[in-house]
Amino acid sequence: MGSSKKSAKQDKTGTPTALSELLRAPLGPVDLSALDAAATPGYPGKGKEDAPAHTQALGPVLSDLQEQLFANGRSAPESAPRVLVVLQGMDTSGKGGVVRHVMGLVDPQGIALTSFKVPTPIERKHHYLWRIRRALPGPGMIGVFDRSQYEDVLVVRVENLVPPEVWGRRYDEINAFEAKVAEQGTRIVKCFLHVSSGEQKERLAARLDDPTKYWKYNPGDVDVRAKWPAYQQAYEVALEQCNTEVAPWYVIPSDRKWYRNWAVAELLRETMAGMGLDWPAAEFDVAAERKRVAAS
Ligand code: ATP
């Protein structure tokens, strides 16, 4: 359980298909209505009942990878790799749940989480990528963006916050920005948490049925929900325009929370396992240090 072989589907020849291949956003036009938000591609177990165990089983592997990344950041900050996980999705799609259940599997010291809200007056004075740049992960860190630069082609586009010619330029700008970030040593993983309209309705209603969830309920979410088609379209364009090899988009079916959590954890494991991480060599004479410790 938790190994790459068991956590991936097999094709006709018996070769396992990596989850990254199963979940990669289609190249070219994207039709979200054709992608099943309740699907569970690549899931190695039975379903909801064994999902927590499968996700937990990824913990030790992810922890080791994260520690290796962190160790590289300590020993060679100038050249150390970094990881950036971008989480986007409609309200209730579970960005917070992923942070809790997936990032919670590793040492919190290695995670740099940033939640992007409505820009503050100071942020507004700057270019929209200013606050993004400042939040990029440092050497050896896993950066997590709860919302991101994509808000500037999503809510901004749907709500007409800037003219179309302004947001229209941003897809190319974001691609150029991400290419630069990747070139500087950051592995980028962008996850669109794909939830259906029906499931969102149930999750919003559930918040109203439970006083311990009132704090999560925002009446404004219903106004955003009323613009569902426009948001889906904005997401489709962002997925199509910004799905590059160095900063790929993955569509995570998110109607089933247990699948969503497992899938993001496995995707992160697969990505980090592919980075060729290793433990940094000692920068001191190990034998000599052993002697000194023994004599101390
Ligand atoms: P979650 O992200 O977990 O759903 P939330 O909805 O509770 O959190 P809010 O305080 O509502 O958090 O902040 C997120 C809001 O900020 C969203 O409505 C989002 O569209 C908005 N936002 C983020 N970035 C921008 C931006 N660049 N321009 C305008 N609005 C933005």
Side-chain angles (χ1 to χ4, degrees):
M1 192 164 56
S3 76
S4 60
K5 288 207 166 163
K6 286 195 177 172
S7 58
K9 262 189 185 165
Q10 301 206 331
D11 67 14
K12 283 182 197 134
T13 63
T15 309
T17 310
L19 194 64
S20 59
E21 281 178 48
L22 296 173
L23 299 184
R24 179 79 190 268
L27 299 177
V30 178
D31 175 6
L32 284 174
S33 67
L35 300 176
D36 183 4
T40 60
Y43 182 66
K46 290 198 191 79
K48 190 176 180 176
E49 63 280 17
D50 57 8
H54 277 283
T55 305
Q56 284 297 322
L58 291 168
V61 192
L62 267 175
S63 262
D64 275 359
L65 289 164
Q66 181 271 326
E67 202 178 330
Q68 278 185 333
L69 186 73
F70 194 81
N72 280 282
R74 275 290 167 85
S75 67
E78 352 40 70
S79 59
R82 307 132 194 247
V83 173
L84 175 62
V85 180
V86 170
L87 300 174
Q88 281 288 163
M90 298 293 284
D91 292 316
T92 78
S93 61
K95 300 180 287 295
V98 166
V99 171
R100 213 166 36 254
H101 294 285
V102 180
M103 305 310 155
L105 293 170
V106 305
D107 186 343
Q109 291 181 92
I111 300 283
L113 169 68
T114 310
S115 298
F116 291 99
K117 309 285 186 190
V118 174
T120 62
I122 290 175
E123 287 170 344
R124 243 181 244 292
K125 286 196 182 134
H126 294 269
H127 187 265
Y128 69 99
L129 291 174
W130 178 78
R131 63 176 185 167
I132 306 294
R133 240 179 232 117
R134 285 161 58 94
L136 288 171
M141 296 295 288
I142 300 178
V144 182
F145 284 181
D146 172 355
R147 303 185 187 269
S148 65
Q149 59 273 25
Y150 286 95
E151 291 295 322
D152 290 280
V153 288
L154 292 165
V155 62
V156 167
R157 168 182 168 136
V158 174
E159 304 295 341
N160 296 310
L161 301 182
V162 298
E165 60 273 23
V166 176
W167 58 251
R169 284 196 295 271
R170 291 183 175 172
Y171 301 98
D172 286 347
E173 277 170 15
I174 290 173
N175 284 338
F177 169 73
E178 291 178 348
K180 189 115 197 230
V181 170
E183 197 186 302
Q184 289 165 347
T186 302
R187 184 64 74 95
I188 304 174
V189 183
K190 300 183 299 195
C191 299
F192 168 58
L193 307 183
H194 179 34
V195 74
S196 66
S197 169
E199 180 63 24
Q200 188 196 52
K201 188 172 190 166
E202 278 184 28
R203 290 182 187 176
L204 288 173
R207 289 178 180 179
L208 292 171
D209 288 342
D210 179 353
T212 69
K213 289 187 178 165
Y214 287 170
W215 68 275
K216 288 189 185 182
Y217 187 84
N218 174 2
D221 290 351
V222 185
D223 302 318
V224 175
R225 179 173 163 74
K227 296 175 184 166
W228 185 271
Y231 272 98
Q232 294 296 292
Q233 195 199 9
Y235 266 110
E236 287 172 348
V237 177
L239 291 169
E240 179 186 344
Q241 298 289 319
C242 301
N243 189 13
T244 61
E245 283 312 304
V246 291
W249 268 116
Y250 298 101
V251 178
I252 315 289
S254 297
D255 273 8
R256 298 175 204 262
K257 294 176 185 173
W258 55 265
Y259 174 78
R260 177 200 69 204
N261 294 339
W262 171 81
V264 177
E266 168 56 19
L267 198 54
L268 185 58
R269 185 211 61 76
E270 187 194 318
T271 304
M272 292 183 72
M275 289 172 70
L277 295 169
D278 210 344
W279 297 105
E283 288 166 352
F284 45 81
D285 181 338
V286 178
E289 290 305 308
R290 228 183 241 132
K291 278 187 199 149
R292 288 185 63 224
V293 172
S296 66

